[in-house]
Amino acid sequence: MGPRLETSRLILRLFEPSDAKTVQLLAGNEEVARTTLSIPHPYPDGAAEAWIERIRNAFNNGDIYSFAMIRKEDEVLIGCVSLRVAKSENQAELAYWVGHPYWGQGYATEAAQSVCKFGFTDLNLERIFAAAMVKNPASYTVMKKIGMKSEDNFPKQILKSGVYEELVHYALTN
């Protein structure tokens, strides 16, 4: 059983196999997939199950800490926040997505803050960084809100669905 983090409105816990259907539904939404680097669209059947198994193993190895965002008031799974750890460099990449019905309510900021604190205190990380597509200001607003500083001396591009997207980078040091 992995760590369980708590914020005022959320419980952050390890994903369970029973979360697969909700993950497929939320992550499979075109609005969510469009601005997320790692989410396929359309989201194939069985992919969520495979992804949950993969991240549970990664959690146990200390490589990726992916937490399910669970809303306390109704115990509904609303998104994901994760730290992908590079042990040799003592740093991690922060990533998150929130289901479309739950956008704009500050959940990503709340979860990201909690997970960064976990990264610095429990994992003794030196640096946490994050990237977002330029066309996704909601994502880098979260980065700014949790105190990350822009590191954009090198605009980088990534290929997503056959289109090159500009990325912005932010970081936080312990």
Side-chain angles (χ1 to χ4, degrees):
M1 196 49 207
R4 184 183 160 96
L5 310 177
E6 235 174 278
T7 69
S8 59
R9 299 180 296 163
L10 299 170
I11 286 162
L12 304 175
R13 60 144 171 89
L14 194 52
F15 277 91
E16 289 155 11
S18 59
D19 296 326
K21 283 285 162 273
T22 310
V23 167
Q24 182 173 4
L25 191 73
L26 294 178
N29 175 294
E30 195 174 354
E31 293 287 308
V32 173
R34 202 168 57 87
T35 51
T36 313
L37 302 179
S38 56
I39 296 179
H41 187 80
Y43 203 96
D45 283 343
E49 287 82 352
W51 177 76
I52 288 172
E53 193 176 329
R54 219 168 40 244
I55 59 168
R56 284 177 70 94
N57 292 334
F59 209 117
N60 296 334
N61 300 336
D63 297 325
I64 303 172
Y65 294 86
S66 277
F67 294 91
M69 293 183 203
I70 308 296
R71 197 162 57 175
K72 280 182 184 173
E73 59 177 84
D74 50 13
E75 295 185 3
V76 168
L77 167 62
I78 64 164
C80 171
V81 58
S82 59
L83 286 176
R84 184 181 293 267
V85 179
K87 291 180 188 146
S88 55
E89 292 140 37
N90 204 23
Q91 60 178 3
E93 181 170 13
L94 169 72
Y96 39 82
W97 58 261
V98 173
H100 195 251
Y102 314 105
W103 282 11
Q105 295 169 58
Y107 291 123
T109 303
E110 209 171 295
Q113 228 156 8
S114 178
V115 166
C116 285
K117 191 173 163 238
F118 165 77
F120 289 133
T121 26
D122 298 50
L123 306 178
N124 297 312
L125 296 172
E126 211 30 65
R127 180 171 174 270
I128 295 173
F129 61 96
M133 291 182 196
V134 171
K135 70 175 184 190
N136 186 9
S139 186
Y140 49 87
T141 300
V142 169
M143 296 169 194
K144 289 178 192 166
K145 278 188 187 158
I146 64 170
M148 286 187 151
K149 299 280 174 267
S150 170
E151 290 199 320
D152 265 323
N153 24 19
F154 55 101
K156 202 167 119 201
Q157 290 191 324
I158 186 154
L159 194 58
K160 166 86 183 179
S161 309
V163 179
Y164 282 101
E165 296 288 352
E166 288 276 297
L167 294 183
V168 285
H169 297 81
Y170 284 80
L172 201 55
T173 44
N174 200 355

